Amino acid sequence: MSGEKEPYRGLLTFFDETGKVSLFTARFFREAFRPPFEFRELLRQSYIIGYQSLFLVATTGFIMGLVFDLQTRPTMIEFGAESYMPSMIGISFVREIGPVVTALICAGKIGSSIGAELGSMRVTEQIDAMEVSGTNPFKFLVVTRVLAAMLMVPVLVLIADAIGLFAAFLVENLKGDVTFRLFFNQVFNNLEFGDLIPSTVKSFFFGLAIGLIGCYKGYYAARGTAGVGSAANQAVVVASLLLFVIDLIAVLIADIFYEL
Amino acid sequence: MESKSPTSPPLIHIRGLRKAFGEHEVLLGFDLDLYDGENLVMVGKSGSGKSVLLKCIVRLEEIDSGTLEVLGKSIPDLDQVALDRLRTDVGFLFQGSALYDSMTVRENLQFPLRRHPDRMRGEAEEKLIVSALDSVGLAHAIDLMPSELSGGMKRRVALARTLILRPRIILYDEPTSGLDPITAKEIIELILQVQREFHTSSFIITHDMDCARVIANRMIMLVEGTNYAEGTYAELAASNDPKVRAFFK
Ligand SMILES: Nc1ncnc2c1ncn2[C@@H]1O[C@H](COP(=O)(O)OP(=O)(O)OP(=O)(O)O)[C@@H](O)[C@H]1O
Ligand SMILES: [Mg+2]
């Protein structure tokens, strides 16, 4: 460990990890499409993942709706654009706030719980026990959780969108006497498929990233109890960072389509 | 308990096995033969590579070099399907029991059966589960969660989970570690009873010499990555070699 090598070490670890995560991802896709399929476990995981985060996502969605509306209202009024409030809120919520906030919440909630669960299964040799009983633990543990996250995150995003918009409507209704019909008519008049599709596709990838990183960190958790904690912790940190990268890529791609 | 019959080929055959983790060499040319029907006990210091050796046998760890054959098949050369099939013939009792803690005892026992319906021998699943639990004396615990079991009960359930596939060989990784002497004795009794009932061959790792004395037909000592000494308990107990003597203190 000479001092000269130090600065490169972080970089090396980064590339090393990136390579390993890529292999893990490739293995996920290979195993996901090859029978036998673990349908029952997939359903169970979807239920757990969806149910676990529902309350949290609903609450944050509601608060974000309130806050966002309350904060933008004065500015919009200043510009005499109060009547554009619903469409503005609708577009920014569906395109960006809903998916990103929900995904971040899920990274914290789902990512850490997958990381900790698989990590403790690794450390207590439960994954080894599955392996020697001739049942593929990758399929049973990893494929089901990643697929469940991919399925449930978009659903949670839609729920957060709906609740956030409803919260914004409450503010508009109390402060600006906007009716339910008027509000949502405006929201949907200005929302296009071009908004809903990319944001759903994006959420799908958010779910993939959260599930994959949580599983990867847990599946390869270091031996010993400390390994469980750091697996859970790193799952959240890495997944959250990755979400923003995916978001950026998604926006860039969507931008190209708008130009056309 | 009939001892080794030199005429039949060994169930596990290991020659010159080497295994290192990076710079750290754990096994440096290990030899072993496990014969049909015997109880072979291996002793070794903590950290000497006992668990690593067991994991190599079922390919939870890849070996670096050497010969490793189980039931006549070369482990490093098997593909996944053949390996999984072979693994059903080799039971593995983990050092910490390794029960699936999100599943009930029943589901723990169901788990190995789900991918190996051929191993159900035409019997109903429930019947197999109950009878496996019966043979370890824990039929009443069928609906409990692992967190509700004591250490000794966990070890028994883990043994039942291993037995349900009717393996020909069982590998025990420190079956009595972490248990009080009385419970440890019960587990030892159970291992002997299982062997009589199911005609399994056992490879048992321990550093509990009492356990070794009761169970072993033959013993092997793992010292510095090799099979340093072999023989019956009495033979080794009479040895003058200081490294062998060290185990008998
Ligand atoms: N996956 C691994 N990566 C790196 N080193 C390992 C790994 N598994 C085991 N080792 C090292 O190999 C050596 C032997 O470990 P092993 O678990 O086989 O010991 P043991 O003989 O079973 O000890 P104990 O009686 O404490 O269970 C130890 O030094 C351990 O640190
Ligand atoms: Mg060990």
Side-chain angles (χ1 to χ4, degrees), chain A residues 36-38 40-41 44 117 120-121 124-136 139-140 145 223, chain B residues 55 58 60 80 84 87-88 90 92 94-96 98-103 111-112 114-116 161 165 173:
Chain A
F37 302 111
E38 304 280 0
R40 252 186 56 190
E41 184 63 12
R44 204 175 76 89
E117 193 188 6
S120 80
M121 290 187 77
T124 57
E125 299 182 314
Q126 293 176 50
I127 296 183
D128 288 339
M130 287 187 177
E131 189 116 29
V132 292
S133 75
T135 302
N136 182 343
K139 229 178 198 51
F140 186 78
R145 281 172 175 75
R223 291 145 43 102
Chain B
K55 287 182 180 169
V58 288
L60 284 173
Q80 192 64 43
D84 280 346
R87 279 168 167 170
T88 61
V90 184
F92 197 127
F94 285 87
Q95 201 163 349
L99 295 182
Y100 309 130
D101 47 24
S102 61
M103 304 182 196
F111 196 87
R114 43 203 293 292
R115 284 279 163 256
H116 303 286
R161 186 177 67 183
L165 290 178
D173 193 351

Side-chain angles (χ1 to χ4, degrees), chain A residues 223, chain B residues 21-22 24 26 44-53 55 61 95 173-174 205 207 222:
Chain A
R223 291 145 43 102
Chain B
F21 295 99
H24 178 34
V26 180
K45 277 194 297 198
S46 186
S48 57
K50 304 185 297 293
S51 300
V52 169
L53 177 67
K55 287 182 180 169
E61 297 282 1
Q95 201 163 349
D173 193 351
E174 309 215 10
I205 283 178
H207 41 214
L222 173 60

Side-chain angles (χ1 to χ4, degrees), chain B residues 134-137 152 155-157 159 163 172 184-196:
Chain B
D134 250 338
S135 38
V136 298
R155 220 49 70 86
R156 285 161 184 268
V157 173
L159 184 54
L163 287 175
Y172 295 89
K185 217 171 199 163
E186 287 171 9
I187 297 290
I188 293 171
E189 279 304 312
L190 192 60
I191 293 174
L192 291 172
Q193 177 203 321
V194 160
Q195 212 222 3
R196 280 193 298 271

